[in-house]
Amino acid sequence: MEVAEVVARRSTCLRRNIGAVVVKDKRILSTGYNGAPTGLPHCAEVGCLRERLGVPSGERYEICRGLHAEQNALLQAARHGISLEGSTIYSTTEPCGTCAKMLINAGIRRIVYMEPFPDGLSRELLAGAKVQVEQFERQ
């Protein structure tokens, strides 16, 4: 989880910094943080549409110019031809419904998160797909 926290520092989101690390057999396969697509201006440069519109956290994330940390971790693995089947993702925040669907289809079998995210659809989908989900407890 410490690696996910370090990855989150690379986030270019103005509202929340999230990091994700995908691991299998004690090896890091991929990492991701939330931010604008490669080659496009970051939110720090062009501003945040959700902020301008007063959209509360956890709502209307489809209008955000950035990708979520989990999405970027999946895309980096795909870009480099790395299968994530049977792996675990560690994320600083619980996945949203869109990310949950992607994680299921990527073959992620376990999700460990630090901060909860209020998305009932995500929890329902992950339970239905029998993905193990647990909140990280710092010791």
Side-chain angles (χ1 to χ4, degrees):
M1 191 57 79
E2 287 180 39
V3 175
E5 290 178 299
V6 170
V7 171
R9 292 186 206 148
R10 293 193 42 88
S11 170
T12 59
C13 179
L14 299 173
R15 295 181 120 193
R16 163 188 296 214
N17 302 127
I18 300 171
V21 178
V22 183
V23 176
K24 185 173 183 182
D25 299 327
K26 299 183 181 180
R27 290 183 173 24
I28 294 174
L29 301 178
S30 183
T31 66
Y33 55 88
N34 57 327
T38 304
L40 294 179
H42 298 295
C43 298
E45 299 169 273
V46 298
C48 175
L49 177 60
R50 292 175 67 234
E51 193 71 34
R52 278 196 305 270
L53 296 176
V55 176
S57 179
E59 294 180 18
R60 305 272 333 264
Y61 35 80
E62 75 279 0
I63 66 170
C64 177
R65 67 183 288 105
L67 289 110
H68 290 188
E70 301 94 333
Q71 294 168 351
N72 271 322
L74 296 178
L75 292 167
Q76 285 302 311
R79 189 173 201 174
H80 296 287
I82 300 168
S83 171
L84 303 181
E85 187 71 38
S87 62
T88 296
I89 189 165
Y90 293 86
S91 181
T92 57
T93 302
E94 187 177 12
C96 71
T98 301
C99 288
K101 291 183 269 188
M102 292 180 181
L103 294 170
I104 292 165
N105 275 5
I108 302 287
R109 297 309 310 151
R110 181 173 169 242
I111 298 169
V112 181
Y113 67 91
M114 283 178 52
E115 299 295 324
F117 186 77
D119 190 329
L121 175 62
S122 173
R123 292 175 185 146
E124 180 183 324
L125 293 168
L126 293 166
K130 296 183 177 28
V131 174
Q132 181 183 346
V133 181
E134 58 192 76
Q135 187 167 11
F136 180 77
E137 299 284 333
R138 206 173 283 285
Q139 298 176 357

